[in-house]
Amino acid sequence: MDICATNWFQLEAYLKQDDRVILPLGSTEQHAWLSLCTDYILASRLAGEVGELARVAVYPGLPFGMAPYFCAYPGTINLQPDTYNRLLSDILTSLYTSGFRRIFLINGHGGNSPVQAQIHNWLNQHPDARVQLHNWWSAPHTLRLVRHYAQNASHASWMENFPWTRIPGVTPPAHEKPALDVARLSQLPASAVREYIGDGNYGGHYQRSDDDMQAIWQTARQETLQLLEHGWG
Ligand SMILES: [Zn+2]
């Protein structure tokens, strides 16, 4: 159930028979040859599809997250951890006040994951609520299929290249980029990150067949749906 196509009377009726809600978490940042909004697009699309299958309320996604290491690339929006923690807490509290008790966050961006600590703090204040932070791309079934296709797969590589994250008319490079040294990357300020990673792909080919990508998407959908239906603590 798309919140943007729902009025408050309808939501009030929904809340009498379900207390689940989905909120996609994205980021706007360099994704090499793919859309700057890749993480937002993927989390939002997955949320919309799974929400429709399960008839669960879906909020519009948060387009911005924490991406300090990409600040030297044009287009990146970077929220400070304090800002992001407070933003998410206010959203969780508002959802709780509305009557939601099981909140399912579909996260498209690894850099947002530290917000898990804040979620625990919020849960301590709202002990009857449940929150799942679901990193869809690194969930076991999805990641296993990704690694089955290729070990070398990471940020802005083929594993994020779906028909809906490509830029029309842009053809990415055909070669396989060697995997970056993430331990080295984590030591660098944004300007040196850009110098080191160049176009922004962390490693891997830039594109795979649509059949392979559809298979990954179907797996992610099933895995996400399963957690939304049965993954509550
Ligand atoms: Zn991404």
Side-chain angles (χ1 to χ4, degrees):
M1 192 178 77
D2 178 2
I3 284 290
C4 294
T6 304
N7 67 32
W8 75 264
F9 304 102
Q10 293 168 318
L11 185 63
E12 193 171 58
Y14 168 90
L15 282 161
K16 290 197 168 84
Q17 41 91 24
D18 206 329
D19 64 355
R20 292 175 298 169
V21 62
I22 304 173
L23 175 70
L25 303 180
S27 180
T28 301
E29 60 183 48
Q30 75 79 12
H31 269 81
W33 304 87
L34 304 171
S35 167
L36 284 157
C37 297
T38 290
D39 293 344
Y40 166 78
I41 292 169
L42 294 174
S44 299
R45 189 181 179 102
L46 194 56
E49 292 184 8
V50 168
E52 197 176 320
L53 287 168
R55 297 172 185 273
V56 169
V58 180
Y59 269 76
L62 272 187
F64 309 131
M66 297 183 282
Y69 32 83
F70 292 148
C71 283
Y73 289 90
T76 298
I77 301 277
N78 174 40
L79 301 181
Q80 301 295 317
D82 183 46
T83 308
Y84 194 65
N85 284 342
R86 291 178 65 172
L87 175 65
L88 199 68
S89 289
D90 285 353
I91 292 171
L92 293 176
T93 301
S94 301
L95 294 172
Y96 184 90
T97 304
S98 286
F100 295 109
R101 289 296 178 271
R102 289 179 292 169
I103 300 168
F104 194 78
L105 305 172
I106 298 184
N107 180 30
H109 174 53
N112 293 340
S113 298
V115 81
Q116 179 69 64
Q118 181 63 20
I119 291 170
H120 279 302
N121 284 322
W122 184 87
L123 284 167
N124 290 345
Q125 306 298 321
H126 303 82
D128 61 332
R130 295 293 179 267
V131 178
Q132 291 194 58
L133 178 64
H134 174 52
N135 295 317
W136 74 267
W137 80 96
S138 65
H141 294 297
T142 303
L143 195 60
R144 195 176 309 129
L145 186 57
V146 166
R147 298 291 181 222
H148 166 76
Y149 287 136
Q151 283 297 321
N152 193 8
S154 194
H155 171 84
S157 75
W158 66 271
M159 73 176 281
E160 293 193 293
N161 186 336
F162 293 87
W164 40 90
T165 53
R166 291 171 201 153
I167 306 296
V170 172
T171 307
H175 69 273
E176 177 178 359
K177 190 172 176 180
L180 295 178
D181 180 348
V182 178
R184 175 180 164 191
L185 198 63
S186 63
Q187 303 173 30
L188 304 174
S191 55
V193 167
R194 179 169 172 172
E195 214 168 285
Y196 176 42
I197 69 179
D199 70 4
N201 175 355
Y202 272 32
H205 278 103
Y206 289 81
Q207 192 161 330
R208 288 190 74 86
S209 75
D210 283 354
D211 283 352
D212 290 353
M213 298 316 292
Q214 280 295 345
I216 289 172
W217 193 250
Q218 290 308 319
T219 300
R221 249 167 67 139
Q222 279 312 312
E223 190 164 36
T224 303
L225 187 62
Q226 177 73 14
L227 290 168
L228 177 65
E229 300 280 33
H230 307 294
W232 300 101

